[in-house]
Amino acid sequence: MSLVVAKFGGTSVADYQAMNRCADIVLGNPATRLVVVSASSGVTNLLVELSQADMGDERRLKLLKEIATIQYAILDKLGRPADVAAALDALLSRMATLSARLLQAPSHAMVDEILSLGEQCSSALFAAVLRERGAKASAFDVRQVMRTDSHFGKAEPQIAELKRLATEKLQPLLEQQLLVTQGFIGADADGRTTTLGRGGSDYSAALLAEALEADAVEIWTDVEGIYTTDPRLAPNARPIAEISFNEAAEMATFGAKVLHPATILPAVRQQIQVFVGSSRAPEKGGTWIRHQVEDEPVFRAVAVRRDQTLLNLHSLQMLHAQGFLAETFAVLARHKISVDLITTSEVNVSLTLDKTGSDSAGKGLLTEALLQELSQNCRVRVEDKLALVAIIGNKIATTAGICRRVFEVLEPHNVRMICQGASPHNLCVLVSEAEAGDVVAALHRNLFEGAQDAA
């Protein structure tokens, strides 16, 4: 059986009209059997605020009302079918109960359960929209198959167990009907609800596609594929018809918000092609991400990732000694910190950390406990309000003249860090966040607008 997994983001399932556009896409392709949805636009942000333990009761009730208003507006357009109304009432009631408990006895597990309720609401509603259109469709609780560890806020999927459960519980149902399930959430071995981190719905779709050995994953969002850069920064940015897994992984990692950074990993492991397109304008096509592509230009895109932190570590222990970096990375690993870029000198190490989407509730990475532990071995200095700009392409590390073209553009700007050579697919610079927009626009003009090797 040919199988496509389609994922729809928050803006794509924002209201009844948007859900019907998504239904057109799903019903237009008989191979689409599994649909993964995010929470309706705005709901997750409201839930994040609702999960704060220091909230007053008046604000809590106001947030609950705002969330209910979004969901009941869709239910009303459906004509309030009794089964869907009962399911939605139960989810919203659970939301109210958990948020009240959280004020008394906050816990990470409870926060994850609250955050999961947005996806549970939208999956119930979208399945009802599909049934209204004549499809045999049901909502499926992804927690039955999406097994994770117990690291609440940013749980790690257990790939082998996910595959076993998906084959056992999900595959047989897909042969009989359309299933709508939730992105972003899972459950640990004890059945407790977990979340995969902000933006994890794309990742969920790719993980499920991998487990089911699907033919393709479709990521439907509010933009028409992947562009050479953010069109808001460079008006002449162009959509890219096709890119490789390696290029897409670099773009997702370094800030192309169209795709969650982890999405590419399951697709690469199973060599599943990924499509990115707009649910508002599916007729305009989008971007295909494939294992092999016909065209591999030197310059493919410019990506930017804001809200970066630079961690500077100074220690004389590094001088003609061994083990300092090993200990530093061990400390970071204990605190679940992933390092992006690194540069070293004899007595200094500089590391960049991506603060975006560190966990589902948006908590920061640099805790007091982490800084204190690092300070035992070195002097620590933290710099923030930085942005990482990445030039993405092919054979960048082995093509002469790349640095000249890039650095002549950067001449008016202060560059805090440069990383190049570790990957043939990127050259990265760290600049002030205030200058990032100008840097991206200037690089795009120089590398893509009228250039022979543009994508």
Side-chain angles (χ1 to χ4, degrees):
M1 180 181 72
S2 182
L3 175 62
V4 171
V5 177
K7 179 263 174 181
F8 295 95
T11 55
S12 296
V13 293
D15 53 33
Y16 178 75
Q17 184 180 8
M19 283 190 175
N20 266 290
R21 287 195 296 266
C22 297
D24 289 337
I25 293 169
V26 172
L27 298 176
N29 183 358
T32 302
R33 306 296 298 162
L34 180 63
V35 178
V36 178
V37 293
S38 298
S40 295
S41 184
V43 169
T44 298
N45 287 338
L46 292 170
L47 288 170
V48 168
E49 187 176 350
L50 189 66
S51 69
Q52 305 305 310
D54 57 352
M55 179 180 304
D57 204 53
E58 183 179 345
R59 179 60 181 162
R60 182 181 71 87
L61 294 174
K62 186 173 186 293
L63 290 168
L64 288 168
K65 185 177 180 180
E66 288 182 41
I67 294 167
T69 298
I70 293 170
Q71 310 295 7
Y72 282 133
I74 302 171
L75 185 67
D76 288 341
K77 292 283 189 179
L78 279 163
R80 284 188 170 259
D83 57 337
V84 185
L88 196 58
D89 287 343
L91 290 168
L92 293 170
S93 176
R94 180 66 175 163
M95 199 179 293
T97 300
L98 287 171
S99 63
R101 286 184 189 168
L102 199 63
L103 298 179
Q104 306 301 320
S107 75
H108 295 302
M110 204 179 299
V111 168
D112 269 16
E113 188 175 351
I114 288 176
L115 295 179
S116 77
L117 291 167
E119 276 73 13
Q120 293 183 61
C121 287
S122 61
S123 59
L125 290 165
F126 188 59
V129 169
L130 289 170
R131 289 195 297 273
E132 184 185 53
R133 299 282 296 273
K136 186 179 180 182
S138 300
F140 178 84
D141 190 342
V142 79
R143 291 172 295 182
Q144 294 185 50
V145 299
M146 186 63 73
R147 189 65 66 246
T148 73
D149 64 13
S150 302
H151 184 60
F152 298 102
K154 200 172 184 181
E156 190 66 32
Q158 308 298 294
I159 306 300
E161 186 67 0
L162 166 58
K163 182 170 180 60
R164 183 186 71 79
L165 291 170
T167 303
E168 175 188 317
K169 298 184 176 185
L170 195 52
Q171 188 82 56
L173 294 175
L174 290 172
E175 295 172 4
Q176 305 165 18
Q177 61 181 314
L178 262 169
L179 292 181
V180 181
T181 195
Q182 309 81 32
F184 172 64
I185 66 177
D188 67 7
D190 296 323
R192 295 177 297 177
T193 300
T194 57
T195 62
L196 306 184
R198 293 301 293 270
S201 290
D202 290 356
Y203 189 29
S204 296
L207 285 165
L208 290 167
E210 178 187 29
L212 295 166
E213 298 183 8
D215 298 284
V217 181
E218 296 177 353
I219 307 294
W220 294 97
T221 179
D222 55 358
V223 296
E224 298 155 15
I226 300 173
Y227 279 66
T228 47
T229 197
D230 186 339
R232 292 169 297 183
L233 300 177
N236 292 323
R238 301 188 298 278
I240 305 169
E242 183 183 61
I243 60 174
S244 69
F245 282 133
N246 287 330
E247 294 168 314
E250 298 285 354
M251 290 188 68
T253 300
F254 290 112
K257 295 185 182 298
V258 177
L259 211 57
H260 186 272
T263 302
I264 297 299
L265 301 178
V268 169
R269 288 194 294 258
Q270 198 66 32
Q271 292 194 17
I272 300 169
Q273 59 183 349
V274 179
F275 176 80
V276 181
S278 168
S279 62
R280 293 178 180 272
E283 71 282 356
K284 293 187 177 180
T287 303
W288 279 103
I289 305 168
R290 296 187 167 108
H291 181 61
Q292 290 184 317
V293 295
E294 290 185 13
D295 183 32
E296 294 186 339
V298 175
F299 299 118
R300 179 71 87 181
V302 180
V304 60
R305 192 169 65 190
R306 300 179 184 275
D307 197 21
Q308 301 300 287
T309 296
L310 183 64
L311 201 59
N312 293 284
L313 311 177
H314 173 86
S315 174
L316 294 177
Q317 295 177 37
M318 291 178 63
L319 196 61
H320 305 301
Q322 295 82 39
F324 176 80
L325 280 178
E327 175 57 28
T328 297
F329 279 99
V331 171
L332 293 169
R334 284 195 291 273
H335 290 266
K336 302 288 186 181
I337 302 296
S338 177
V339 173
D340 282 334
L341 307 182
I342 177 170
T343 60
T344 65
S345 71
E346 284 295 329
V347 293
N348 282 281
V349 179
S350 292
L351 312 165
T352 64
L353 310 176
D354 178 27
K355 294 199 296 183
T356 58
S358 50
D359 77 1
S360 298
K363 293 178 181 175
L365 293 168
L366 292 178
T367 62
E368 193 60 39
L370 167 63
L371 294 176
Q372 285 183 1
E373 193 169 352
L374 286 171
S375 297
Q376 293 173 9
N377 296 316
C378 58
R379 188 172 74 242
V380 180
R381 189 173 81 255
V382 178
E383 298 179 38
D384 54 17
K385 296 182 180 178
L386 297 168
L388 191 61
V389 177
I391 295 93
I392 312 296
N394 296 279
K395 300 180 180 178
I396 287 178
T398 55
T399 301
I402 296 288
C403 289
R404 178 189 60 78
R405 291 189 66 177
V406 171
F407 293 145
E408 68 183 14
V409 176
L410 296 173
E411 184 180 357
H413 305 280
N414 179 51
V415 177
R416 188 62 189 81
M417 178 189 280
I418 300 165
C419 275
Q420 192 259 336
S423 165
H425 299 289
N426 75 58
L427 186 160
C428 299
V429 295
L430 197 66
V431 298
S432 162
E433 189 156 359
E435 294 185 284
D438 292 339
V439 170
V440 169
L443 283 169
H444 192 273
R445 282 194 302 270
N446 184 280
L447 303 180
F448 293 94
E449 297 175 26
Q452 293 297 312
D453 51 358

